[in-house]
Amino acid sequence: DERQEELETLNAIYPELVIHPDDPFSASLELEVTPTRPLLVRFIPGKPASGQRTSYAAATSNAAHIERDVEFSHLPPLSIRLHLPERYPSDAPPTVQITTHYDWLPASKLIELEKEVVSLWEDYGRCQILFAYIDFLQQSAEAGFSLEQSPDGCLVLPVSSEAALVDFNTATRQAKFNAGTYDCEICLEPKKGSSCHAMRTCGHVFCKTCLLDFYNNAITEGDILSVKCLSPTCGKDSSKGASVAKRKPRPLLQPRELLAIGAEEKMVRRYVEMKRKKRIESDKSTVYCPRTWCQGPAKSTKYPPIPADLTTLVDPESSSDDEGDAKPPADQKEKRTVPSNPSDRLSVCEKCSLAFCNVCYMGWHGPLARCYPRDPSELSAEEKASYEYIRLNTTPCPYCNSPTQKTMGCNHMICATCQTPTHFCYLCSSWLDPQNPYQHFNKPGTPCYQRLWELEEGDEGQAPADGRGFAGERHWEQLA
């Protein structure tokens, strides 16, 4: 029988073809949908449209809604059911029924694909055309079924389908990655994909063992600015040539990506807490608890508490780290002023829950009581000693104003608190160009000329040769 021969031949080409035991002339096939170019899908609030099959129409009400555009490299497969009638192939075409998981392909497109089997049967002279038809479906899937040529310019689906399709795309992509073999860019050894991790922002591949060793050590030592892609070429634009290549911003890793690599939750939580702590400390508008045994920051919507489930945390600061991008001194730094609205004076410590006034630093006295900024004479001996030590032994970062103390080395400093590493001079607190920071010390006639190695042994180990000490902001404080 020609029908049996064709199905056996097709089964040899597609081993996943299943011939039904109760009907030897019927078969089923799952066809992968992997577009050559990622298919753009727009999710909007919608409702099922009436019809023989499930299809979706966009909401036509005037109510406001949010649209989301997502690109998919993998979509749920086509389920193809083939049946060869008794008069096939000479007098009758095969019958085809196509469905999709999660009903993501429009009913009109499914009907169009099913009708194509009759057209092919006629064009090929009414002969065996199953292989040609399946090849046509594969090419259509690679082209994204020409859905980008629709009036909307993309595939439009209801928002209720988003979660299932995104999960399928992620799981399929991870399964294909795990089946491959890659060279780790750190240890340079070939590893299976299941033992590797591809960075989500740039795609560079490293083995998880190397990544965990580096990241755990960086987080333990407090060097959170190093928790990013470790490829030396990451972010470099090579289109302009090696001599003028400029590095683009390399974002810090999101907490959920660290968890995906295999980092322990306590280590990831330390990473998130340290990032939050550095941002709070570098913010000049931060208000601290007046209790000397607490000194915790006040609760703020600007720095919300860290959730218990780190996988739900999306840190916007992780995408704003610009390594090597020069930023001028912060002339418009936030400065604390007395709130005009008395109710805005209320602050609550996030550690001890003390409610206090952020102007006079006394217990909260209500919005109607008048108060004034705290007088310096009211400072305790410990607070005065702390301020005095900071004034005499530190230099402020010109960008975030964080006090920095040098233990040894030259006077070219890099702030460890700034999200963007700021280069500055330790003697005068001047901002330095990251591309050529030492030109500041080579300009004749300037206060820091040829003073790169002054105070080489640290603040307390060696006094400057001319007794000038610090300049910049701390210098004027000493004069005052």
Side-chain angles (χ1 to χ4, degrees), residues 338 345 357-362 364-366 368-373:
V338 177
R345 300 184 175 194
C357 174
N358 57 35
V359 175
C360 65
Y361 287 91
M362 302 299 291
W364 179 237
H365 44 64
L368 300 180
R370 298 183 64 184
C371 64
Y372 300 93

Side-chain angles (χ1 to χ4, degrees), residues 446-459:
T446 60
C448 298
Y449 177 60
Q450 293 187 349
R451 298 179 67 189
L452 175 63
W453 292 101
E454 197 167 285
L455 299 173
E456 180 181 359
E457 298 179 7
D459 302 335

Side-chain angles (χ1 to χ4, degrees), residues 158-338:
V159 71
S160 57
S161 304
E162 181 180 2
L165 293 180
V166 170
D167 290 344
F168 178 86
N169 182 58
T170 304
T172 305
R173 183 170 51 195
Q174 187 63 41
K176 290 183 176 295
F177 178 81
N178 291 343
T181 302
Y182 308 89
D183 290 333
C184 173
E185 294 195 30
I186 298 177
C187 63
L188 304 179
E189 294 182 0
K191 301 287 182 68
K192 291 294 294 182
S194 56
S195 302
C196 297
H197 176 77
M199 309 304 291
R200 295 178 180 177
T201 55
C202 57
H204 289 108
V205 178
F206 308 91
C207 69
K208 295 180 180 179
T209 302
C210 293
L211 288 178
L212 287 177
D213 288 345
F214 182 87
Y215 292 150
N216 286 338
N217 184 64
I219 296 173
T220 301
E221 295 182 354
D223 185 15
I224 62 172
L225 294 180
S226 297
V227 185
K228 57 181 69 171
C229 178
L230 303 182
S231 174
T233 61
C234 184
K236 286 187 178 180
D237 186 5
S238 57
S239 60
K240 299 180 181 180
S243 59
V244 293
K246 183 179 180 181
R247 184 183 294 275
K248 295 180 181 179
R250 291 190 300 168
L252 299 177
L253 266 62
Q254 291 282 356
R256 53 190 176 189
E257 185 169 5
L258 279 174
L259 292 172
I261 295 174
E264 296 182 1
E265 184 179 356
K266 63 178 182 180
M267 189 64 69
V268 179
R269 187 168 295 277
R270 170 179 166 83
Y271 166 69
V272 176
E273 290 174 349
M274 291 180 64
K275 285 204 299 182
R276 181 175 182 268
K277 180 175 181 291
K278 284 182 176 291
R279 290 198 294 269
I280 291 176
E281 291 177 348
S282 62
D283 191 345
K284 200 172 182 180
S285 63
T286 302
V287 179
Y288 294 92
C289 177
R291 287 174 169 171
T292 56
W293 54 267
C294 179
Q295 295 290 305
K299 296 178 181 179
S300 169
T301 56
K302 191 175 180 181
Y303 305 106
I306 300 171
D309 185 6
L310 294 177
T311 59
T312 62
L313 178 62
V314 178
D315 188 1
E317 295 291 341
S318 295
S319 59
S320 62
D321 176 46
D322 301 341
E323 181 186 3
D325 277 7
K327 285 195 175 182
D331 296 331
Q332 299 179 351
K333 290 185 290 187
E334 270 188 270
K335 294 185 178 181
R336 290 199 57 218
T337 57
V338 177

